[in-house]
């Protein structure tokens, strides 16, 4: 008891001296600045973050530190978290915002905590109040924000004097908040003092996949210190040159750096602003930057005047998003670069910088950056080698719209809007439209808030007004948007399978929305199995919300560019883990995520057309989307003219059933693969179920050419004939008779016959 008392006294006294808020987990800070207690050996510092590490003990593991005393009625907590898995009840974390005692258990003490990880796929953050063994849910955030296999989310929680709580999250790790407001009643707020902590439950495979950083607690709004000079306003300081991949170096040190430019007429102070990418944020020192001047920022002295930082947000070689943020997390400048902006592949492999061409034209960044042409590979601290005038050209357009909430649309544009506010209109009208700005880590995307919520069952059209962004003309073609609904068993169909592609082409699966509902494709997965009803492989069609409209076709492939689509208005969606379509055949399915199968089809190499020898390069097409996809008679290889029809109507079709009891889809057949009457569809609709059917094809002399096994008919039966004899040989030209006999146990008999001509291809 004396040892525990001594530990707590030491803990509190050390905290008063050494606590540094907000807490950023830099080298040498953990577990001493501030003092952390608990399972401290189960966590480690990793790249400036606190990371759970593999331990020999079973989970959960937790660490705790003391909270400072707040100075206002509104309390603020903030945290950056990364989970390298999709959370569940077996792999989850709790953020104890406030707890009454140092060591919390599920049955002792009082606490308010945020939990992420639950059974199912919703993964909504949940706020709980704990009093002893009683845990009460106070509110849930929006579902789906943690359903990826690599989640990087920034969280802010506010507790107000009236007892209400506000959760703010950015699922891309930035500060463009998505809000949820809770108004629980009957619960007091956290009192002054107390403790905060991180608690992780994990399986062995995820014991190293929890990371935390930027832990903050205090009064809100926080009061920043008075600046010693003028802080830069929006786009007064901009990114001017970057070196994302310095290896191999041509002239300068092999170290990453960025160059900033003060394009304003004021001397600005860099102190208080931060340099950030999608993963990390670092503070800038108190440095004055005169008008028009350049400064290089790095971790090594690239040039004598460079600003040297102890921490650095590592720049991804293939592309990243960089931001300059002020003390209130407002964007001063943002840059999204891609390796594709290098025109020369040998320069893209390292040692060459990217330069801004025109510092006075800040729209359309994708065309305003170019690889350096300086023989040293870059020009740090000097005029850019590519500097010149870059007039804006082209059009601005809407690429995609998705409803994040019934009254909030996420709009993807072909160019970042920067500081511009796009003019938008929606039909039917939903009242006043308010542009809420671009997403912090996806500058091409922004949120539009509607005065009135979208209605289920209604498809809306949204378009850009003229002029578009940056004064450019706008592509005013309308883009559809609607609230997605859960698909039913009559909604989504697999219509075509390409499983033996030509060399250099990719396999694909075509799906079609045959229902009346707008569906979110991120709710669906495609499966592969050996038996109907079960599947051994399954993958989500897409990770982000994507609308699929009635009558629309979508082609699922593993990469873009390997499968040119005909101009039929269909979309191609990349599914990196699309189940491999083996040449031996398999069963494919479309299922709701963590739900039942919606459609099941079988494909088999033996189902090729008898006139086809090798069907490499031929797709297999579903003849009728209303009939089962497991029936051989409902599939046929594509025609010679259209070996595959991704995104277009299938080349093999049939005439719908007529009102007659017995009917043929055509009066003639051209056996082969010309796409015109390649097969004969034979249909029988008996007066009632229970008839035994016998179907044969004979020549004009009554000799049997082809015969199907006798079968018991239901309300409707369909057969297919591909123009071959029973032995597999193709029939020569001439007239034939299709004979059908049906008899019922009550004594009723039906005899039908129709003539059909075999016409040479």
């Amino acid at each position: 008891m004396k040892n525990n008392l001594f530990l707590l006294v030491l803990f509190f006294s050390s905290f008063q001296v050494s606590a540094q808020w907000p807490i950023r987990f830099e080298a040498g800070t953990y577990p001493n600045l501030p003092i952390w207690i608990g399972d401290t050996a189960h966590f480690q510092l990793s790249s400036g973050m606190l990371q759970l590490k593999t331990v020999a003990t079973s989970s959960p593991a937790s660490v705790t530190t003391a909270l400072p005393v707040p100075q206002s009625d509104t309390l603020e907590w903030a945290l950056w978290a990364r989970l390298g898995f999709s959370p569940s009840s077996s792999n989850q974390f709790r953020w104890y915002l406030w707890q009454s005692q140092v060591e919390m258990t599920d049955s002792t003490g009082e606490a308010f905590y945020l939990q992420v990880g639950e059974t199912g796929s919703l993964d909504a953050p949940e706020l709980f109040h704990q009093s002893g063994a009683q845990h009460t849910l106070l509110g849930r955030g929006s579902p789906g924000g943690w359903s990826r296999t690599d989640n990087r989310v920034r969280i802010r929680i506010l507790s107000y004097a009236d007892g209400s709580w506000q959760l703010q999250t950015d699922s891309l790790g930035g500060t463009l908040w998505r809000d949820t407001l809770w108004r629980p009643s009957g619960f007091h707020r956290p009192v002054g003092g107390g403790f905060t902590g991180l608690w992780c439950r994990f399986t062995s495979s995820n014991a190293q996949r929890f990371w935390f950083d930027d832990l903050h607690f205090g009064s809100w709004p926080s009061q920043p210190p008075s600046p010693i000079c003028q802080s830069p306003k929006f786009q007064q300081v901009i990114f001017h040159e970057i070196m994302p991949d310095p290896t191999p170096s041509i002239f300068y040190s092999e170290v990453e750096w960025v160059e900033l430019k003060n394009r304003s007429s004021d001397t600005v102070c860099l102190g208080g602003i931060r340099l950030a990418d999608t993963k990390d944020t670092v503070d800038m020192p108190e440095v004055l930057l005169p008008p028009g001047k350049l400064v290089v920022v790095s971790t090594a002295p690239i040039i004598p005047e460079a600003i040297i930082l102890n921490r650095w947000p590592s720049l991804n070689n293939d592309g990243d998003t960089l931001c300059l943020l002020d003390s209130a997390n407002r964007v001063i400048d943002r840059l999204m670069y891609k390796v594709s902006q290098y025109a020369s592949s040998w320069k893209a492999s390292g040692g060459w910088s990217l330069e801004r061409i025109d510092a006075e034209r800040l729209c359309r960044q994708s065309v305003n950056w170019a690889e350096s042409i300086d023989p040293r590979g870059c020009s740090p601290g000097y005029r850019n080698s590519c500097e010149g005038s870059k007039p804006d050209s082209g059009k601005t357009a809407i690429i995609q719209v998705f409803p994040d909430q019934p009254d909030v649309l996420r709009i993807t544009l072909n160019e970042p809007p920067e500081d511009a506010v796009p003019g938008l209109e929606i039909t039917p009208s939903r009242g006043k439209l308010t542009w809420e700005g671009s997403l912090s880590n996806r500058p091409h995307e922004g949120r539009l808030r509607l005065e009135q919520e979208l209605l289920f069952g209604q498809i809306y059209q949204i378009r850009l007004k003229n002029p578009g962004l940056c004064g450019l003309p706008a592509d005013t073609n309308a883009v559809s948007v609607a609230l997605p609904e859960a698909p039913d068993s009559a909604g989504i169909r697999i219509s075509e399978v390409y499983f033996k592609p030509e060399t250099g082409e990719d396999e694909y699966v075509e799906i079609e929305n045959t229902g009346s509902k707008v569906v979110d494709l991120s709710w669906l997965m495609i499966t592969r199995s050996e038996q109907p009803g079960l599947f051994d492989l399954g993958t989500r069609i897409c990770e982000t919300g994507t609308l699929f409209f009635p009558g629309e076709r979508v082609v699922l492939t593993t990469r873009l560019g390997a499968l040119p689509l005909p101009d039929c208005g269909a979309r191609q969606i990349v599914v990196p883990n699309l189940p491999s379509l083996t040449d031996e055949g398999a069963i494919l399915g479309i299922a709701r995520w963590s739900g039942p199968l919606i459609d099941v089809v079988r494909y088999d190499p033996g189902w090729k057309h008898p006139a086809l020898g090798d069907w490499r390069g031929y797709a297999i097409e579903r003849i009728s989307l209303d009939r089962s996809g497991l029936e051989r008679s409902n599939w046929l290889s594509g025609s010679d003219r259209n070996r595959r029809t991704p995104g277009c109507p299938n080349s093999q079709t049939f005439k719908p059933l007529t009102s007659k009891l017995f009917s043929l889809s055509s009066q003639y057949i051209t056996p082969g693969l010309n796409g015109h009457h390649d097969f004969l569809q034979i249909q029988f609709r008996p007066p009632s179920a229970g008839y035994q059917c016998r179907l044969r094809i004979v020549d004009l002399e009554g000799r049997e050419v082809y015969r199907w096994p006798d079968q018991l008919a239901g309300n409707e039966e369909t057969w297919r004939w591909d123009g071959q004899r029973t032995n597999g040989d193709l029939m020569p030209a001439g007239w034939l008779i299709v004979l059908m006999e049906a008899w019922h146990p009550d004594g009723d008999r039906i005899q039908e016959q129709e003539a059909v001509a075999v016409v040479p291809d």
Side-chain angles (χ1 to χ4, degrees):
M1 182 67 182
K2 291 182 179 180
N3 290 337
N4 290 340
L5 179 61
F6 173 76
L7 177 61
L8 289 177
V9 171
L10 176 62
F11 176 58
F12 281 113
S13 61
S14 300
F15 172 78
Q16 296 296 329
V17 173
S18 61
Q20 303 292 324
W21 290 82
I23 299 173
R24 296 192 175 97
F25 294 96
E26 302 171 309
T29 62
Y30 175 81
N32 300 316
L33 291 173
I35 297 292
W36 293 86
I37 65 172
D39 302 318
T40 55
H42 300 340
F43 293 82
Q44 64 184 358
L45 286 181
S46 175
S47 302
M49 293 173 287
L50 184 68
Q51 180 187 14
L52 183 71
K53 66 178 181 180
T54 302
V55 294
T57 184
S58 60
S59 63
S62 64
V63 288
T64 304
T65 190
L67 288 170
V69 178
Q71 303 297 322
S72 76
D73 291 335
T74 302
L75 307 180
E76 177 189 26
W77 291 262
L79 178 69
W80 182 91
R82 177 186 175 190
L83 304 182
F85 52 86
S86 180
S88 66
S89 57
S90 301
N91 292 280
Q92 59 181 189
F93 86 90
R94 292 178 186 173
W95 175 19
Y96 280 89
L97 308 172
W98 176 89
Q99 58 192 57
S100 61
Q101 58 191 46
V102 176
E103 296 183 4
M104 289 294 299
T105 71
D106 277 348
S107 58
T108 62
E110 183 185 7
F112 291 87
Y113 64 86
L114 187 77
Q115 178 172 290
V116 174
E118 58 183 321
T119 302
S121 60
L122 294 179
D123 294 328
E126 299 175 307
L127 178 67
F128 285 90
H129 174 258
Q130 175 182 342
S131 178
Q134 182 176 358
H135 295 245
T136 304
L137 178 64
L138 302 184
R140 285 171 56 86
S142 300
W146 297 81
S147 57
R148 298 184 294 270
T149 56
D150 190 8
N151 302 276
R152 306 180 188 206
V153 180
R154 192 174 295 276
I155 308 170
R156 182 165 74 175
I157 296 177
L158 302 174
S159 173
Y160 296 99
D162 63 359
S164 61
W165 295 74
Q166 188 168 17
L167 170 68
Q168 299 179 325
T169 61
D170 187 330
S171 60
L172 297 175
T175 56
L176 190 61
W177 304 115
R178 182 175 181 178
D179 292 344
T180 301
L181 185 64
W182 301 310
R183 295 187 180 275
S185 59
F187 294 92
H188 63 77
R189 301 173 63 228
V191 297
F195 307 89
T196 187
L198 299 168
W199 176 97
C200 303
R201 171 180 284 143
F202 52 92
T203 57
S204 59
S205 60
N206 291 320
Q208 290 185 320
R209 296 180 179 177
F210 294 75
W211 293 267
F212 305 98
D213 200 6
D214 294 346
L215 180 63
H216 170 73
F217 171 76
S219 303
W220 186 87
S222 56
Q223 301 297 323
S226 300
I228 62 173
C229 60
Q230 180 176 326
S231 296
K233 298 180 177 61
F234 179 71
Q235 289 189 335
Q236 283 188 318
V237 176
I238 62 171
F239 292 101
H240 194 246
E241 187 176 1
I242 63 169
M243 176 64 81
D245 184 5
T247 305
S249 173
I250 297 174
F251 181 81
Y252 294 95
S253 302
E254 290 189 353
V255 63
E256 297 176 351
W257 52 267
V258 300
E259 180 184 78
L260 307 178
K261 180 177 183 178
N262 181 358
R263 60 186 295 269
S264 74
S265 58
D266 301 320
T267 296
V268 297
C269 179
L270 299 182
I273 72 172
R274 292 177 293 158
L275 174 64
D277 68 351
T278 56
K279 178 182 177 182
D280 202 2
T281 303
V282 297
D283 295 325
M284 297 286 288
E286 299 281 351
V287 174
L288 295 177
L289 189 59
K293 295 298 183 179
L294 305 172
V295 65
V296 173
V297 184
S298 182
T299 57
I302 302 298
I303 58 176
E305 302 83 8
I307 295 175
I308 308 303
L309 301 180
N310 293 326
R311 290 180 57 216
W312 184 254
S314 179
L315 310 182
N316 298 331
N317 294 348
D318 55 351
D320 206 344
T321 298
L322 302 178
C323 289
L324 288 176
L325 304 173
D326 67 12
S327 58
N329 285 324
R330 292 183 294 256
V331 174
I332 299 172
D333 191 33
R334 180 190 288 112
L335 167 64
M336 186 176 72
Y337 68 89
K338 299 178 180 179
V339 70
S340 59
Q341 289 173 288
Y342 287 91
S344 308
S345 59
W346 57 279
K347 288 187 177 182
S349 62
W352 295 82
S353 70
L354 283 173
E355 300 178 345
R356 190 188 287 267
I357 300 172
D358 190 342
E360 299 307 314
R361 294 185 182 271
L362 303 182
C363 285
R364 310 192 72 224
Q365 292 197 34
S366 61
V367 297
N368 200 18
W369 286 79
E371 61 190 34
S372 177
I373 57 174
D374 191 295
R376 296 167 296 183
C378 54
S379 54
Y382 303 97
R383 175 179 175 176
N384 284 348
S385 62
C386 293
E387 184 175 292
S389 176
K390 187 70 176 178
D392 292 319
S393 60
K395 287 186 175 183
T396 55
I398 299 174
I399 304 301
Q400 179 176 291
V401 183
F402 186 83
D404 282 342
Q405 299 175 28
D407 61 344
V408 178
L409 305 183
R410 174 162 36 93
I411 298 180
T412 305
L413 300 160
N414 64 336
E415 289 293 339
E418 303 294 343
D419 58 332
V421 177
L424 297 158
E425 59 184 15
I426 187 169
T427 307
S429 174
R430 305 315 297 156
K432 181 181 178 182
L433 307 181
T434 304
W435 180 255
E436 295 187 337
S438 300
L439 303 184
S440 58
N441 296 310
R442 291 185 181 177
H444 287 72
E445 295 183 359
R447 291 197 176 111
L448 182 72
R449 186 169 294 277
L450 312 178
E451 184 179 16
Q452 303 169 17
E453 294 184 350
L454 301 181
L455 302 177
F456 281 101
Q458 172 72 57
I459 297 178
Y460 298 84
Q461 304 295 321
I462 188 163
R463 55 172 49 86
L464 277 171
K465 296 179 181 178
N466 264 319
L469 299 172
C470 305
L472 300 177
D475 184 341
T476 57
N477 290 326
V479 177
S480 298
V481 64
L483 290 177
E485 299 182 70
D488 53 34
S489 59
I492 311 298
R493 290 287 180 266
I494 296 176
S495 54
E496 188 172 344
V497 181
Y498 189 47
F499 66 95
K500 197 173 182 181
E502 291 280 11
T503 302
E505 294 184 344
D506 277 9
E507 302 168 338
Y508 70 79
V509 176
E510 178 192 81
I511 63 175
E512 188 170 338
N513 186 345
T514 61
S516 59
K517 296 179 179 179
V518 178
V519 174
D520 182 355
L521 286 175
S522 69
W523 296 351
L524 303 177
M525 62 179 176
I526 184 166
T527 69
R528 193 192 73 190
S529 64
E530 302 300 326
Q531 300 179 24
L534 302 173
F535 58 88
D536 49 19
L537 288 176
T539 186
R540 203 169 188 164
I541 290 180
C542 51
E543 294 293 329
T544 59
T546 304
L547 297 179
F548 191 26
F549 291 88
E552 189 178 8
R553 297 182 185 89
V554 167
V555 180
L556 310 179
T557 62
T558 56
R559 60 193 176 109
L560 290 174
L563 181 70
L565 294 187
D567 187 15
C568 294
R571 286 180 291 161
Q572 184 175 353
I573 292 182
V574 174
V575 184
N577 296 320
L578 185 74
S580 177
L581 307 181
T582 60
D583 289 353
E584 294 76 20
I587 295 174
L588 302 178
I590 297 291
R592 293 181 61 177
W593 186 249
S594 300
L597 286 163
I598 296 173
D599 188 35
V600 182
V601 304
R602 182 195 300 273
Y603 73 91
D604 189 285
W607 292 2
K608 65 181 181 180
H609 193 282
L612 188 61
D614 180 12
W615 71 343
R616 180 172 299 280
Y618 285 81
I620 182 171
E621 300 178 338
R622 193 168 179 171
I623 297 171
S624 172
L625 298 179
D626 296 327
R627 290 176 51 206
S628 170
L630 297 172
E631 298 177 6
R632 174 176 181 173
S633 63
N634 201 24
W635 291 91
L636 192 64
S637 43
S639 67
D640 279 330
R641 184 177 59 182
N642 298 307
R643 295 186 173 193
R644 50 179 177 79
T645 56
C648 297
N650 288 348
S651 62
Q652 307 288 7
T653 59
F654 78 100
K655 184 185 296 183
L657 182 67
T658 66
S659 59
K660 296 170 58 177
L661 292 180
F662 180 72
S663 63
L664 308 183
S665 60
S666 174
Q667 292 302 120
Y668 68 97
I669 178 175
T670 58
L673 289 171
N674 64 2
H676 185 64
H677 297 285
D678 294 345
F679 63 94
L680 183 69
Q681 198 86 17
I682 306 163
Q683 300 164 318
F684 175 53
R685 182 182 292 169
S688 62
Y691 279 80
Q692 189 76 14
C693 299
R694 177 174 299 159
L695 184 66
R696 298 180 299 150
I697 297 178
V698 300
D699 61 18
L700 295 182
E701 297 181 5
R703 293 172 296 193
E704 187 173 279
V705 171
Y706 194 87
R707 179 173 181 163
W708 286 266
D710 294 355
Q711 68 183 64
L712 185 65
N715 294 326
E716 178 181 310
E717 291 299 323
T718 303
W719 297 265
R720 192 188 81 205
W721 186 54
D722 296 320
Q724 79 273 27
R725 298 178 184 272
T726 303
N727 63 6
D729 295 337
L730 290 178
M731 284 296 301
W735 282 96
L736 300 171
I737 304 296
V738 181
L739 299 176
M740 207 259 330
E741 300 174 80
W743 57 93
H744 197 274
D746 63 7
D748 185 38
R749 297 185 65 86
I750 298 174
Q751 291 184 326
E752 297 281 356
Q753 64 181 33
E754 291 283 351
V756 62
V758 178
V759 180
D761 184 358

